[in-house]
Amino acid sequence: MRLSGSILGVVALGFAASASAQTAAESAAIAGDPVARPQTLRLADLPKATGPAVSLFNGRDLADWEPWLGYADPALTYRRPAIAPLGTSADTRTAFSVVREDGAPALRVEGKTWGSLVHKSDLANYHLSLEFKWGDEVFAPRQTLPQNNGLLFHSHGSPGAVWGTWMRAVEFEIMRGSTGMVVPVGDEVRIGTMAAQDKAIIYPHRRFRVGGRAIDLHNNGNPDWNVENARDAEKPVGQWNRLDLYAVGDRAIFVVNGVPVMAVSGLAEEAADGTRTPLTHGRIQLQSEGAETFFRAIRVEPIAALPRLVAR
């Protein structure tokens, strides 16, 4: 069907008005944010383990992990298609495998098909540490974007409940330039943190800052879908990076290569009536989201308190 020039003009005006309204809403959402300024963060009063450390990766196989795959075409992920994800019906041995990398066992996430590798343990009050390194492969539809993956924690609910691909969770982002960003995974997930305005990064232009504006993150119609790390502390591609996640109750601190980059609190799941249930425990997911990634030295030890975050 062909549209007349006058009809096309009306449609164009409608799109322009919609875009203008969205821009105005986004500007209003961040209007009260303080301006981000350089801030040096460090940890003090590191907690002592209250029990023995446990390795989550045995270096031989994936017996302690459960794989889940989203759609065969990852481009469908955010469209909520009326087809079933692959789930556990497909062969997952290529997507997730144990290999030798730099002379030692490593867990390889291929990245071509999106999904996650979910550890069987339900964890609470812990210090998790792991090392990751980017591989050479980057797949559509993200091949023109920075490598992207993620460490999802306090994971709960059904596999694939979020866009057919992940469990509901809090995300410790693993992405080139943004490792340590925080993202709610699932419309019901709520995350409290502090932020300041940094127009040099993508919308919502919010970077973590101690003493910044209090933010309540969620994806359910909220323009505030993430807060960026305090600073990029990742090493160059090809080198191993260490991540430390301290999680106690409904609070957590993210550390990248010894540098604190994020603190969150008030982790919760919100029901339709507004009732919030604190998120204080759950499973670990290693995301597959378009980039080959290696993981090793995945360890967890119990703790009773978070370290103290000091800013200057």
Side-chain angles (χ1 to χ4, degrees):
M1 180 178 68
R2 297 185 62 184
L3 298 177
S4 68
S6 60
I7 293 176
L8 287 172
V10 171
V11 171
L13 286 172
F15 278 125
S18 176
S20 177
Q22 180 179 3
T23 300
E26 291 178 348
S27 297
I30 63 174
D33 291 2
V35 176
R37 292 183 174 82
Q39 188 176 58
T40 299
L41 303 178
R42 66 179 180 85
L43 294 181
D45 303 331
L46 291 176
K48 293 183 178 179
T50 58
V54 175
S55 177
L56 301 187
F57 172 47
N58 63 24
R60 301 183 306 275
D61 55 40
L62 300 177
D64 296 326
W65 300 80
E66 297 175 345
W68 179 273
L69 294 177
Y71 303 102
D73 178 3
L76 299 176
T77 303
Y78 301 113
R79 301 179 186 177
R80 304 180 190 274
I83 60 174
L86 297 172
T88 58
S89 65
D91 187 344
T92 61
R93 288 175 295 180
T94 300
F96 308 107
S97 58
V98 176
V99 299
R100 291 192 69 81
E101 183 70 14
D102 295 335
L107 191 161
R108 177 179 180 263
V109 175
E110 181 190 38
K112 184 176 182 179
T113 305
W114 292 10
S116 62
L117 195 60
V118 189
H119 198 269
K120 294 179 179 179
S121 298
D122 188 313
L123 302 173
N125 300 335
Y126 59 87
H127 168 209
L128 172 74
S129 60
L130 63 77
E131 295 180 356
F132 84 91
K133 185 181 80 164
W134 298 114
D136 297 326
E137 300 286 342
V138 183
F139 300 94
R142 292 197 182 276
Q143 70 270 35
T144 60
L145 300 172
Q147 291 102 317
N148 193 339
N149 211 308
L151 166 63
L152 278 57
F153 67 100
H154 286 3
S155 304
H156 57 286
S158 302
V162 182
W163 302 307
T165 308
W166 301 293
M167 298 172 71
R168 299 193 300 276
V170 179
E171 181 170 6
F172 184 145
E173 182 72 80
I174 302 174
M175 182 167 70
R176 290 288 299 142
S178 295
T179 296
M181 174 195 293
V182 65
V183 182
V185 179
D187 291 347
E188 303 86 351
V189 176
R190 301 293 184 267
I191 301 172
T193 188
M194 298 174 288
Q197 189 176 133
D198 183 350
K199 289 295 185 68
I201 57 178
I202 63 172
Y203 185 84
H205 314 303
R206 282 178 162 159
R207 187 177 294 281
F208 175 74
R209 180 177 175 82
V210 172
R213 184 180 184 182
I215 305 297
D216 187 35
L217 287 179
H218 61 88
N219 276 328
N220 192 7
N222 184 13
D224 310 333
W225 65 275
N226 80 311
V227 169
E228 183 59 275
N229 57 31
R231 54 164 285 205
D232 179 13
E234 189 180 328
K235 295 179 181 178
V237 172
Q239 296 185 28
W240 289 95
N241 296 271
R242 174 169 168 144
L243 304 185
D244 289 274
L245 168 64
Y246 295 90
V248 174
D250 64 352
R251 299 180 298 146
I253 292 176
F254 304 176
V255 182
V256 180
N257 293 319
V259 179
V261 297
M262 178 65 60
V264 295
S265 61
L267 304 178
E269 184 166 85
E270 186 171 278
D273 64 0
T275 302
R276 291 196 177 192
T277 302
L279 289 179
T280 59
H281 64 94
R283 300 170 70 182
I284 297 296
Q285 300 178 78
L286 299 180
Q287 266 189 325
S288 172
E289 197 177 353
E292 181 186 31
T293 316
F294 299 96
F295 295 92
R296 69 182 187 187
I298 310 172
R299 299 171 67 254
V300 64
E301 60 184 18
I303 56 175
L306 289 179
R308 186 162 52 89
L309 190 58
V310 179
R312 74 170 189 272

